Amino acid sequence: MSASARASGARPNRLRLLIEVPAVIVLFVMMIHVTANALLRAFASSPIQNTLEITQYIYLPIIALLGFIAAQQRGEHIVADLVTHYFPRPVRRGVLFAGYTVALIVSAGFAWFGLEEALHAREIGQTAGVSTVVSWPVLFLVPVVFAVLTVQFGIAAVRALRGAEDEDGDGDATVAGDIDGEIQAGHSSTVPTGTTSDSEKK
């Protein structure tokens, strides 16, 4: 690996920390909150008020939205490349570019729609369900997250067009070829040794 590649690998690590550390903190706070609520409900008959609303409207949205960015940054979204790794390189690049472009457009639309909804929620002072827990500040995370995803998908589209993902695709094709070879070898080895072919019978 070159020095430039190592440097580019160090920068995303800082970005991952900025994304993942808050998500982990919120996750642990949610676990402690829910556990404390369950214990107090069971042994003291005094549960923490609005635990369900806080979990549903604050904790979980933060964890899920930050998880979108972290998964894209790590390249850990589910990929079903059952067909694309058989394509020639130019076709594979075009398919990946088109897919990332569609994802970019959708993410940009969600960011714009999320911003409008967040501004409207702030105007009306939206709360979590019928409780008094203020939930509208969390909605501003939606346009921020999808704006970041838009940038990430744009970078991924450019990388795909330049062939940056060809190495991964070639590795997948090699693995698929090895698997096909092993399957064929397994079929040939399963022929019973006590049987004879039609030519031998003749």
Side-chain angles (χ1 to χ4, degrees):
M1 182 182 293
S2 64
S4 60
R6 286 194 296 267
S8 62
R11 287 192 294 270
N13 288 335
R14 299 189 183 96
L15 178 60
R16 290 174 187 171
L17 289 177
L18 291 175
I19 298 169
E20 295 174 2
V21 169
V24 171
I25 292 174
V26 174
L27 179 61
F28 273 96
V29 171
M30 181 184 71
M31 293 169 57
I32 295 172
H33 187 165
V34 173
T35 303
N37 177 69
L39 293 175
L40 290 173
R41 179 186 297 274
F43 297 104
S45 298
S46 179
I48 301 175
Q49 294 295 324
N50 301 318
T51 296
L52 179 60
E53 288 78 7
I54 295 173
T55 301
Q56 181 177 354
Y57 288 88
I58 297 178
Y59 293 148
L60 292 180
I62 294 175
I63 295 171
L65 290 170
L66 293 180
F68 293 160
I69 303 177
Q72 178 61 27
Q73 182 65 32
R74 287 178 171 268
E76 293 182 351
H77 283 299
I78 297 175
V79 178
D81 55 351
L82 300 176
V83 177
T84 55
H85 63 265
Y86 290 110
F87 291 167
R89 286 187 178 182
V91 178
R92 186 192 310 158
R93 293 178 185 179
V95 171
L96 291 174
F97 176 78
Y100 285 129
T101 301
V102 172
L104 182 153
I105 295 172
V106 174
S107 295
F110 282 150
W112 180 260
F113 178 77
L115 178 60
E116 292 182 343
E117 290 297 312
L119 292 173
H120 176 68
R122 185 185 63 179
E123 292 176 358
I124 65 175
Q126 181 173 317
T127 59
V130 295
S131 68
T132 58
V133 178
V134 178
S135 63
W136 63 261
V138 180
L139 296 180
F140 280 95
L141 190 60
V142 174
V144 172
V145 166
F146 280 101
V148 174
L149 280 174
T150 301
V151 175
Q152 288 180 314
F153 286 133
I155 295 173
V158 173
R159 284 173 51 83
L161 196 61
R162 291 180 176 178
E165 300 188 12
D166 284 346
E167 182 177 353
D168 296 335
D170 293 340
D172 293 338
T174 303
V175 172
D178 294 340
I179 294 174
D180 292 339
E182 292 178 0
I183 293 174
Q184 293 176 359
H187 283 306
S188 61
S189 63
T190 55
V191 177
T193 57
T195 59
T196 58
S197 62
D198 293 337
S199 60
E200 292 176 352
K201 290 180 181 180
K202 293 179 181 178

